[in-house]
Amino acid sequence: MTLIHFTNARLIDPVALTDAQGTLTVRDGVIVAVDGPTPPDAQVIDCGGHCLAPGIIDIGVKVSEPGERHKESFRSAGRAAAAGGVTTIVTRPDTLPAIDTPETLEFVARRAAADAAVHVLPMAALTKGRNGHEMTEIGLLQDGGAVAFSDCDRVVTNTKVYARALTYAHSLDALVIGHVQDPILSDGAAVTSGKFASLRGLPGVSPMAERMALDRDISLLEMTGAKYHADQITTARALPTLERAKRNGLDITAGVSIHHLTLNELDVADYRTFFKLKPPLRSEDDRRAVIAALAEGLIDIISSMHTPQDEESKRLPFEDAASGAVGLETLLPAALRLVYEDHLSLPRLFRALALNPARRLGLQAGRLRDGAPADLILFDPDAPFVLNRETLRSKSKNTPFDGARLQGRVLGTWVDGRRIFGDTDA
């Protein structure tokens, strides 16, 4: 039996929305007491007044196995997640080949169990090959451990195929994750259209592409009753549509990446390809609108949308460079910017980082409650540092925060009560 007692901790409770000094007791990987006495024979960890919170659950992480292991492996992604306070990664199926069969899913599950230090929950593709023509064996994949179904950034354009897949997913109570960008309008776009795109001579896409895709998906949800999550809402124009769908009782949640919450289109500056993302960075007005929607609960989840790319993919002209940025290790310190700018409290931040993802996936994690798994992070929210991308544990180093001044260091990470990152003493 392992017994751990955390003392002198600043407990961040996303359920009660409290931030208070307290203690936490863990037995055999499960939280058994909050603010209880020190049990005899327990290992005592003095948290030094730092924050103890539920581990982050990151939906939409790209691990490049199978097919592109040189970009990211389960071992490197697990190490990066542990260092970033992420205790559960929900992996995307946009691998080579796509995770669209039980055999590929089994391979991923075995590699993750053998190599990753954190919990790995795989998604599977919604259609075969992510080509949008024929739906996958959703039932078999769900039985094999798939927690959600998505074609990622390859939007299903055939609405009949999409409607059938949503109907079948609904019959199995399976979660479908959609990428809300109209694929025709978005084709070839590198930035958001506007004055900045014109001045830089870069092909842009209108923010309306997001709302048009969300409108279509919501119409299909009304028809099928499926359980749905929009991976990234990044524009002000999509927010009224989302609000109306929630008000009408549809089973819909929405996420946003940390990059769209903390960066804007001007950060592209002189064609800096580490800032080329999908969807592209938006205007400052859009960024502020999305932050406000997150603060009021209209947007539910913050994720890293961790997308590793190698140097050869990024060191190209902006139009030709691959999209995406790594984010497992920078998710928490970047998100703390929202706290220091008074947009969110720490408990509300962890509601979006841990509790709401757990609720959407039907997990017991994301809580500081008796009976919850002891997936925990200890961090100093005030510790300043300048990020050097070469120190990242990910195989790929394509972060837009290289050289940025950040605050917030993870001191320790526990998965099922087992310490996987940090020194023995806090």
Side-chain angles (χ1 to χ4, degrees):
M1 183 181 74
T2 57
L3 191 60
I4 306 171
H5 187 66
F6 296 89
T7 65
N8 192 22
R10 184 177 160 192
L11 299 181
I12 308 301
D13 188 338
V15 177
L17 293 177
T18 56
D19 174 353
Q21 291 293 121
T23 66
L24 191 78
T25 307
V26 172
R27 178 184 288 116
D28 293 338
V30 176
I31 297 172
V32 293
V34 179
D35 290 334
T38 304
D41 302 323
Q43 175 193 356
V44 177
I45 296 178
D46 186 345
C47 297
H50 298 309
C51 296
L52 187 66
I56 296 168
I57 300 171
D58 194 3
I59 296 179
V61 173
K62 172 73 176 286
V63 178
S64 305
E65 288 192 80
E68 296 177 297
R69 197 168 184 269
H70 64 286
K71 293 184 178 181
E72 194 79 285
S73 65
F74 280 106
R75 185 178 300 278
S76 61
R79 291 176 62 237
V86 178
T87 54
T88 299
I89 58 175
V90 183
T91 58
R92 305 199 315 249
D94 52 343
T95 50
L96 295 175
I99 302 170
D100 60 358
T101 65
E103 293 78 16
T104 311
L105 182 64
E106 183 186 4
F107 166 81
V108 166
R110 279 192 282 106
R111 290 303 291 262
D115 293 348
V118 300
H119 298 298
V120 178
L121 303 177
M123 297 186 215
L126 186 66
T127 65
K128 293 182 179 180
R130 299 171 53 235
N131 291 323
H133 302 313
E134 183 181 357
M135 70 179 178
T136 55
E137 295 286 354
I138 295 175
L140 291 177
L141 289 163
Q142 191 178 40
D143 291 343
V147 297
F149 296 84
S150 176
D151 279 352
C152 304
D153 60 353
R154 286 193 193 169
V155 178
V156 180
T157 56
N158 187 319
T159 52
K160 183 172 287 188
V161 171
Y162 199 16
R164 285 174 177 166
L166 288 169
T167 299
Y168 194 57
H170 172 60
S171 71
L172 297 170
D173 195 33
L175 176 65
V176 174
I177 296 182
H179 181 72
V180 286
Q181 292 293 310
D182 182 273
I184 307 302
L185 281 178
S186 301
D187 186 36
V191 292
T192 300
S193 59
K195 183 178 179 180
F196 178 80
S198 299
L199 289 172
R200 288 293 183 269
L202 293 170
V205 58
S206 168
M208 286 298 292
E210 182 168 285
R211 199 185 87 181
M212 290 168 62
L214 185 60
D215 280 335
R216 184 202 68 157
D217 284 10
I218 286 173
S219 297
L220 291 172
L221 294 183
E222 290 179 355
M223 185 170 75
T224 63
K227 184 163 64 175
Y228 178 89
H229 176 73
D231 64 352
Q232 296 184 77
I233 298 294
T234 62
T235 66
R237 289 176 179 173
L239 296 174
T241 301
L242 177 63
E243 191 277 331
R244 185 169 61 252
K246 286 192 168 189
R247 187 175 68 248
N248 289 341
L250 296 182
D251 192 352
I252 181 172
T253 52
V256 61
S257 89
I258 188 58
H259 302 114
H260 290 89
L261 288 170
T262 55
L263 305 169
N264 67 30
E265 61 185 352
L266 301 181
D267 286 303
V268 170
D270 295 322
Y271 310 102
R272 299 165 69 188
T273 58
F274 282 176
F275 291 83
K276 185 180 181 184
L277 305 173
K278 189 179 286 186
L281 290 172
R282 306 302 193 181
S283 70
E284 179 63 10
D285 288 343
D286 278 329
R287 186 184 78 89
R288 290 185 173 275
V290 170
I291 289 173
L294 178 68
E296 40 185 65
L298 180 58
I299 291 178
D300 307 272
I301 292 168
I302 301 172
S303 63
S304 70
M305 293 307 294
H306 178 84
T307 305
Q309 302 288 5
D310 54 23
E311 297 288 318
E312 291 77 13
S313 300
K314 281 292 189 180
R315 294 194 182 280
L316 293 170
F318 197 89
E319 284 184 57
D320 301 325
S323 299
V326 294
L328 284 169
E329 289 176 77
T330 54
L331 175 55
L332 179 59
L336 287 171
R337 287 181 171 184
L338 303 174
V339 175
Y340 287 113
E341 293 169 3
D342 292 326
H343 296 301
L344 294 173
S345 66
L346 269 174
R348 286 202 177 275
L349 176 64
F350 273 86
R351 181 166 282 194
L353 288 172
L355 178 62
N356 286 344
R359 284 173 169 168
R360 196 50 171 148
L361 296 168
L363 307 176
Q364 292 302 309
R367 302 160 173 85
L368 297 184
R369 287 285 187 269
D370 293 2
D375 296 344
L376 305 167
I377 59 171
L378 179 67
F379 65 98
D380 180 354
D382 301 317
F385 65 100
V386 176
L387 182 74
N388 177 358
R389 73 188 186 99
E390 297 303 328
T391 65
L392 294 176
R393 291 159 180 82
S394 294
K395 286 188 176 183
S396 297
K397 314 295 183 184
N398 53 307
T399 173
F401 295 112
D402 185 34
R405 296 179 183 274
L406 298 170
Q407 277 182 272
R409 279 196 178 277
V410 176
L411 305 175
T413 305
W414 289 261
V415 169
D416 290 331
R418 180 174 59 89
R419 192 163 197 162
I420 61 168
F421 177 78
D423 298 328
T424 303
D425 297 318

